[in-house]
Amino acid sequence: MAAVTSGSGDPVRTLALLWRTKDAPSRGPKPGLSVDAIVSAAIQLADTEGLGALSMRKVADKLGVGTMSLYTYVPAKAELIDCMVDTVSTETERPEHTGGWRARLEQVARQNWDLYHRHPWLLQVVMSRPVIGPGVIAKWDYELRAIDGLGLDEVEMDGVLNVVLAHVEGAARAKLQTEQTERDSGMTLDQWWAASAPVLERVMDESAFPVASRVGSVTGEKYASAYPPDHGFAFGLERVLDGVAVLVEARSASA
Amino acid sequence: MAAVTSGSGDPVRTLALLWRTKDAPSRGPKPGLSVDAIVSAAIQLADTEGLGALSMRKVADKLGVGTMSLYTYVPAKAELIDCMVDTVSTETERPEHTGGWRARLEQVARQNWDLYHRHPWLLQVVMSRPVIGPGVIAKWDYELRAIDGLGLDEVEMDGVLNVVLAHVEGAARAKLQTEQTERDSGMTLDQWWAASAPVLERVMDESAFPVASRVGSVTGEKYASAYPPDHGFAFGLERVLDGVAVLVEARSASA
DNA sequence: CACTGTACCGTACGACGTACGGAATAGGCA
DNA sequence: TGCCTATTCCGTACGTCGTACGGTACAGTG
């Protein structure tokens, strides 16, 4: 099951946590744990078992401490998830931007695509407020630099990046969520379809949905055989970037 | 908090539920409830309080029955959510397609945009398997018909629709999730920023993220004043459709 | 050496999804 | 008419969750 909100607590406390601004206390016992250790254990758990299986108790068990000890370092689960998001955001590679804007955006999209593959639980995080941590900001800055200096204004830059990333997220969702479910349920998508198809045939009048039936059967067949698993990602990215190209050319023509 | 999976149970049972294929039993007491009543109560609850606040107990209370009575009609919460998704999918308007493909896709996108506004909890549903119910299929068929006959093959049609809908979802997420959080937490985004900004200034070195800082401050300012709230939606849609146009023109030129 | 701020965490509470089994009901059939 | 049986309804209970609260052990500070 699952899912989870982030960023519901006191903003000041959350920011202090994300940016790790708290001087080590002089009094008291030495901390046996750290925010980083907790966050990294939580990420490992979410990677292997999904966000739905992530509980404070399991994180604590993995670290060999009592559950409530975590709350010495982290105000609540929502803030822990904020930290997880910020931490994995640092993982994307950021080579110096070279080449044209299109190659740059392709690289940015690919980095995000890979990030979702490493951490599919990112797709299940319900972000109620933006996570403003060092990792997220650095990633955003890098991604914006890919399209800086093209004559787009700031709102346009933001908009362009959003379309690209929305596409990546959608494509990742389509591919990864079913994979995660296969792991959880022990039932592959093929098996699921095999179980569903006969019933569906009896229950649904295909002629009432002619186009859906046609497209559904062809794509089901082709994706199983002819197309690589990231075809949806690559295809959509081309469309989006073609659209961005129209804008960029208009702006550079008027400059 | 929250979130939720759907479609984790027995496919045959789920399909029977979605398509309402069960003959009314001849023996036994008259059912005092119905799947439709339960689904509609659940939708109302999710609309007003969010998916995180949706529990079997609350649905039952709203209907004035015992919690476990729901399980006579619905195998589990996941299947209930499947039904909710399928039901609201019937709500989108579907006028006969007229005009060019671009106007059609704009209309499709707008319908989905409106749907997310009516039911923001749709953004929080973690769909592990496709929901194959009459509502979802009918909607998909209609949307595919918007781009049928343009010379695109089936996989391309699927891909084009996916990019458009991924953009709508992303834009809706950006706009609606913060609105939902404002309702839940009683703290507006402005207040949240007001609380965060001073801390952020102290903690973050703006010069380390020059482009992010510039774009962040300009967009924050402009979205508060100069732009309509659906600017992100409209802007991204233009980009995506410009990209689709390139493909459509290529296909119709080669025909 | 006492004080005090800190780390650690056992216990407990309220909410959740739902398994289980019993009671009440009403049509089908003898 | 009356029993049988498929159904509906649902109270109770279990395991899991996030986390509030308060106690205890610890280690620098005055």
Side-chain angles (χ1 to χ4, degrees), chain B residues 3-5 51-52 54-56 71 74-82:
Chain B
V4 184
T5 335
L51 200 60
L54 180 74
S55 73
M56 299 302 270
Y71 289 87
V74 155
K77 194 186 184 184
E79 282 80 358
L80 172 57
I81 292 175
D82 281 347

Side-chain angles (χ1 to χ4, degrees), chain B residues 187-204:
Chain B
M187 189 182 219
T188 67
L189 191 60
D190 284 348
Q191 291 171 328
W192 182 83
W193 270 111
S196 300
V199 191
L200 204 56
E201 215 165 301
R202 194 153 24 83
V203 123
M204 181 178 93

Side-chain angles (χ1 to χ4, degrees), chain B:
Chain B
M1 300 272 157
V4 184
T5 335
S6 73
S8 25
D10 169 30
V12 176
R13 177 93 193 264
T14 304
L15 282 174
L17 182 66
L18 283 168
W19 294 82
R20 305 287 200 281
T21 57
K22 38 115 213 235
D23 30 359
S26 54
R27 240 102 58 123
K30 291 270 172 267
L33 234 49
S34 68
V35 174
D36 286 331
I38 293 171
V39 170
S40 130
I43 290 173
Q44 279 181 47
L45 259 173
D47 285 347
T48 58
E49 310 193 28
L51 200 60
L54 180 74
S55 73
M56 299 302 270
R57 274 172 246 255
K58 283 196 198 148
V59 174
D61 280 357
K62 194 180 175 74
L63 291 165
V65 300
T67 307
M68 293 311 292
S69 299
L70 303 182
Y71 289 87
T72 306
Y73 299 87
V74 155
K77 194 186 184 184
E79 282 80 358
L80 172 57
I81 292 175
D82 281 347
C83 286
M84 293 166 66
V85 170
D86 194 66
T87 298
V88 300
S89 294
T90 64
E91 288 177 5
T92 56
E93 283 173 36
R94 285 156 208 170
E96 196 67 30
H97 285 304
T98 56
W101 63 266
R102 187 158 186 141
R104 295 176 179 193
L105 276 183
E106 271 166 8
Q107 195 260 350
V108 164
R110 174 64 66 176
Q111 285 295 331
N112 278 275
W113 177 250
D114 292 343
L115 183 63
Y116 284 122
H117 279 73
R118 268 193 308 268
H119 308 293
W121 50 267
L122 279 171
L123 295 167
Q124 300 172 18
V125 176
V126 175
M127 224 113 64
S128 54
R129 311 263 199 220
V131 176
I132 314 221
V136 170
I137 295 282
K139 175 169 173 288
W140 194 45
D141 189 77
Y142 175 79
E143 289 168 347
L144 284 170
R145 269 187 281 131
I147 49 174
D148 196 20
L150 297 176
L152 308 183
D153 68 33
E154 284 80 10
V155 176
E156 287 171 334
M157 289 172 65
D158 180 59
V160 164
L161 187 57
N162 281 342
V163 217
V164 173
L165 295 188
H167 159 63
V168 176
E169 182 174 332
R173 209 177 284 279
K175 182 180 170 219
L176 291 171
Q177 225 142 57
T178 61
E179 285 181 12
Q180 174 110 6
T181 304
E182 291 188 356
R183 269 197 306 282
D184 296 348
S185 68
M187 189 182 219
T188 67
L189 191 60
D190 284 348
Q191 291 171 328
W192 182 83
W193 270 111
S196 300
V199 191
L200 204 56
E201 215 165 301
R202 194 153 24 83
V203 123
M204 181 178 93
D205 177 16
E206 291 218 354
S207 69
F209 313 110
V211 186
S213 303
R214 196 182 88 225
V215 174
S217 68
V218 172
T219 55
E221 192 184 310
K222 291 276 176 69
Y223 270 102
S225 57
Y227 289 96
D230 65 349
H231 176 263
F233 166 72
F235 175 86
L237 186 57
E238 286 305 296
R239 305 288 78 72
V240 170
L241 295 183
D242 282 353
V244 172
V246 174
L247 177 72
V248 170
E249 279 154 26
R251 286 292 171 279
S252 63
S254 76

Side-chain angles (χ1 to χ4, degrees), chain A residues 182-202:
Chain A
E182 292 188 355
R183 270 198 304 284
D184 295 347
S185 67
M187 188 183 221
T188 67
L189 191 61
D190 284 349
Q191 291 170 329
W192 182 82
W193 270 111
S196 300
V199 189
L200 205 55
E201 215 164 302
R202 196 152 24 82

Side-chain angles (χ1 to χ4, degrees), chain A residues 62-141:
Chain A
K62 192 180 176 76
L63 291 165
V65 299
T67 308
M68 292 313 291
S69 300
L70 302 183
Y71 289 87
T72 306
Y73 299 86
V74 156
K77 193 186 184 186
E79 282 81 357
L80 173 56
I81 292 174
D82 282 346
C83 286
M84 293 167 65
V85 170
D86 194 66
T87 298
V88 300
S89 294
T90 64
E91 288 177 5
T92 55
E93 286 173 35
R94 285 158 207 169
E96 195 67 30
H97 284 305
T98 56
W101 63 268
R102 188 161 185 137
R104 295 175 179 193
L105 275 182
E106 271 166 7
Q107 195 260 348
V108 164
R110 173 64 66 177
Q111 286 294 330
N112 278 274
W113 176 251
D114 291 344
L115 183 63
Y116 284 123
H117 280 75
R118 271 193 306 269
H119 308 294
W121 50 267
L122 279 171
L123 296 167
Q124 300 172 18
V125 176
V126 175
M127 223 110 67
S128 53
R129 310 265 198 219
V131 176
I132 315 222
V136 169
I137 294 284
K139 174 168 174 287
W140 194 46
D141 190 77

